[in-house]
Amino acid sequence: QVQLVESGGGLVQAGGSLRLSCVASGIIYSMNDMGWYRQAPGKQRELVARIYRSGSADYSDSVKGRFTISQNNAKTEIYLQMNSLKPEDSGTYYCKLTPLRAYDVDDVWGQGTQVTVSS
């Protein structure tokens, strides 16, 4: 019922910037948190950044100080501002929504958007 659509990925040179967006559509449950995860080929998916209803956020050490996660007032969209990009930031970036536990529904994942950073 809920779908997440990511956008903003692409090819960028090292040192450049990208801004990813994730928009929820359909029946939207109040979220406990939403986050960005990334996965390189042959690697496990890893947390990049996560934002909670309160607005507080967690970041992977590898992106801390370079990436900023934010959300809209309705908490149905999240963004990831990525600055000073490095080749090791390359991968498929996925948006994830974790509903409040009271809804007893599964987490929702987007289809992913590709980010490629060239050296």
Side-chain angles (χ1 to χ4, degrees):
Q1 293 182 322
V2 179
Q3 295 186 44
L4 304 178
V5 179
E6 303 100 329
S7 63
L11 176 65
V12 65
Q13 63 182 357
S17 298
L18 286 172
R19 186 174 186 263
L20 305 183
S21 298
C22 173
V23 179
S25 61
I27 300 175
I28 303 171
Y29 298 95
S30 295
M31 66 96 157
N32 184 75
D33 61 86
M34 294 182 71
W36 290 97
Y37 297 72
R38 69 186 180 192
Q39 187 170 23
K43 304 288 289 185
Q44 292 183 230
R45 195 170 298 183
E46 65 174 350
L47 174 68
V48 177
R50 178 168 55 194
I51 189 165
Y52 301 89
R53 295 176 68 250
S54 65
S56 63
D58 296 328
Y59 294 91
S60 167
D61 287 342
S62 65
V63 307
K64 197 172 300 180
R66 299 187 296 120
F67 291 9
T68 303
I69 189 170
S70 59
Q71 63 189 0
N72 68 343
N73 290 334
K75 298 174 171 52
T76 55
E77 300 178 13
I78 62 169
Y79 314 93
L80 187 67
Q81 180 65 47
M82 305 186 294
N83 298 327
S84 301
L85 282 162
K86 305 174 181 179
E88 52 263 42
D89 294 319
S90 297
T92 304
Y93 283 69
Y94 298 91
C95 180
K96 178 188 176 184
L97 183 153
T98 300
L100 289 170
R101 289 187 290 105
Y103 293 108
D104 193 27
V105 296
D106 292 337
D107 296 344
V108 182
W109 290 88
Q111 84 289 345
T113 186
Q114 193 72 226
V115 172
T116 303
V117 184
S118 61
S119 59

